[in-house]
Amino acid sequence: MIVLFVFAILLFVAALIAIFCAKKINKPLLRGLLPTVLLVLSVVLALISCLRTVPTGHTGIVTTFGKVENITYEAGVHLCAPWQEVVNMDNRNQKASVDLACFSSDIQEVAVTYTINYQISKANAQTIYKEIGISYYDVIIAPRIQEAVKSEFAKYTAEELLNMRSKLSGDIRSLLTAQLEAYNVVVIDASIEDLDFSDTFTDAVEAKQVAEQKSKQAKIEQEQKNMEAEAAAERARIEAEAEAAVAKIAAEAELEVVKIQADAAEYAGQKDAAVIGQVRDILAKDPKNLDNDDLHTLMLYYYILQWDGVLPETYFSNSDFYSFMAALGTGALGETLPETNAPTEEPVTP
């Protein structure tokens, strides 16, 4: 802009010379038109040399012959001395991606693409220009990115870098934020976009993952077998307990049957003893004093002793029965049984 201002001065001087020379020349055109044009051009160029434009998203830093003034310009058009310059500092959100070659703690080479979003502090743009200049990215940001990324990567093995990528990215961002804050640069966001290991390491990782998957599968299958074996053992135990319970119930039932049979036998024995006692009392009587009930009891007793368990097929009336008993004579009682007048109305079933 100072060149325009100098050129404007030269035009103004030329206009003055034209006016002075026009007085000696008798030509109206040279006396009026030329000086006027030169004066207008000089004024226009002088005004243009004083105009400064600051784009949106920038801060204008005013300098006078390289010296930074204590004023800044916002976005827009401004007037200043022709010998003053305005340096535009970009205070917008800026993005930068850096490709780095790093090494892990186990000396594995890693190709990293790291991306950072940053912006300079608008209030301190003048300080940044004074202390660093307009190349603040190359002077401050890029070296800090390389230092932070490489130092953090060196803390982990290659395998840990794969598994701890999120934590690693956060640690680098925190480190960069603290370092660049001292230079009035604000870190908005930062992330690891890409990690690329050597083919040898990649193949080794894949082989390890395959082995781990097989190991997990084998473990799952073994656990399944163990569960099936435990289930089979549990079923066998339950079946054994059930069989034992059934056997116990059967034994208790058999014991109960035996007990019932013993009680029945005892009862039968008592009953037989009572019958035998009754028969013995009848036999102890005088045969002449026997009545029909006594005879009937003796008949049932001897019949039962001789019964083979088969039901009779022949039935006697009372008269036939007593005639039959009379015909026996003394075979049963030892003496001739007395005749009785037995009723004949109903048959007797032994």
Side-chain angles (χ1 to χ4, degrees):
M1 291 299 179
I2 193 170
V3 175
L4 287 178
F5 183 71
V6 172
F7 190 64
I9 293 175
L10 291 176
L11 288 178
F12 182 77
V13 172
L16 292 178
I17 294 173
I19 293 173
F20 179 77
C21 294
K23 292 179 180 181
K24 298 179 178 181
I25 301 173
N26 190 13
K27 290 183 177 181
L29 180 63
L30 294 176
R31 284 185 298 178
L33 182 60
L34 183 60
T36 302
V37 172
L38 292 175
L39 285 174
V40 171
L41 285 176
S42 64
V43 172
V44 171
L45 291 176
L47 288 175
I48 292 175
S49 66
C50 293
L51 293 178
R52 302 292 184 272
T53 302
V54 179
T56 301
H58 292 70
T59 300
I61 309 299
V62 181
T63 64
T64 302
F65 298 111
K67 179 184 177 182
V68 179
E69 300 293 340
N70 292 326
I71 58 174
T72 58
Y73 290 156
E74 297 292 332
V77 179
H78 304 272
L79 287 174
C80 64
W83 51 86
Q84 289 182 323
E85 295 290 337
V86 176
V87 180
N88 294 321
M89 298 287 288
D90 192 346
N91 52 34
R92 295 172 298 178
N93 184 356
Q94 302 180 67
K95 178 180 179 180
S97 293
V98 184
D99 294 328
L100 301 171
C102 304
F103 287 91
S104 61
S105 61
D106 55 351
I107 320 299
Q108 290 289 338
E109 185 176 2
V110 187
V112 184
T113 300
Y114 192 79
T115 300
I116 182 173
N117 291 82
Y118 67 94
Q119 65 179 165
I120 64 172
S121 173
K122 182 179 179 180
N124 297 300
Q126 192 178 65
T127 303
I128 294 173
Y129 181 76
K130 283 182 181 180
E131 297 178 354
I132 304 171
I134 61 174
S135 301
Y136 50 84
Y137 174 78
D138 295 328
V139 176
I140 297 298
I141 299 176
R144 296 298 179 277
I145 292 175
Q146 292 194 26
E147 179 185 355
V149 173
K150 291 184 177 181
S151 63
E152 290 299 320
F153 267 67
K155 294 179 181 179
Y156 302 96
T157 64
E159 185 175 356
E160 290 173 341
L161 293 176
L162 291 173
N163 300 326
M164 303 177 64
R165 181 169 176 170
S166 178
K167 181 180 184 303
L168 181 64
S169 179
D171 292 343
I172 296 174
R173 182 170 60 250
S174 299
L175 183 59
L176 282 175
T177 300
Q179 290 180 349
L180 295 179
E181 186 178 5
Y183 298 96
N184 300 307
V185 177
V186 180
V187 177
I188 299 174
D189 192 18
S191 61
I192 299 173
E193 285 195 3
D194 188 31
L195 288 178
D196 188 15
F197 295 88
S198 64
D199 294 340
T200 303
F201 176 76
T202 303
D203 294 340
V205 171
E206 291 179 355
K208 182 178 179 181
Q209 289 178 345
V210 171
E212 288 179 351
Q213 291 297 326
K214 290 182 178 179
S215 176
K216 290 180 180 179
Q217 183 63 29
K219 184 177 180 180
I220 292 173
E221 291 177 356
Q222 184 61 42
E223 290 177 352
Q224 183 66 26
K225 291 180 180 179
N226 292 340
M227 291 175 61
E228 292 176 355
E230 291 176 357
E234 183 67 14
R235 286 196 299 271
R237 184 184 66 80
I238 294 173
E239 291 176 358
E241 290 179 353
E243 291 177 358
V246 170
K248 181 179 179 181
I249 293 172
E252 291 177 351
E254 185 177 355
L255 181 62
E256 187 67 20
V257 169
V258 172
K259 182 178 180 182
I260 293 172
Q261 291 176 348
D263 292 341
E266 181 180 0
Y267 175 75
Q270 293 175 355
K271 188 174 181 181
D272 291 343
V275 172
I276 293 172
Q278 185 178 2
V279 171
R280 185 172 55 249
D281 293 340
I282 293 173
L283 293 177
K285 292 182 179 180
D286 186 353
K288 295 180 180 180
N289 296 328
L290 294 177
D291 56 16
N292 289 337
D293 292 335
D294 293 335
L295 293 175
H296 188 261
T297 299
L298 289 176
M299 182 274 296
L300 288 177
Y301 175 70
Y302 287 110
Y303 182 79
I304 291 172
L305 290 179
Q306 300 298 325
W307 186 44
D308 58 0
V310 178
L311 293 175
E313 298 179 357
T314 304
Y315 298 90
F316 296 94
S317 64
N318 287 340
S319 58
D320 294 337
F321 175 73
Y322 286 108
S323 299
F324 173 73
M325 292 298 293
L328 290 178
T330 58
L333 302 177
E335 294 184 4
T336 302
L337 297 176
E339 293 184 358
T340 58
N341 294 324
T344 61
E345 290 82 5
E346 295 180 359
V348 177
T349 302

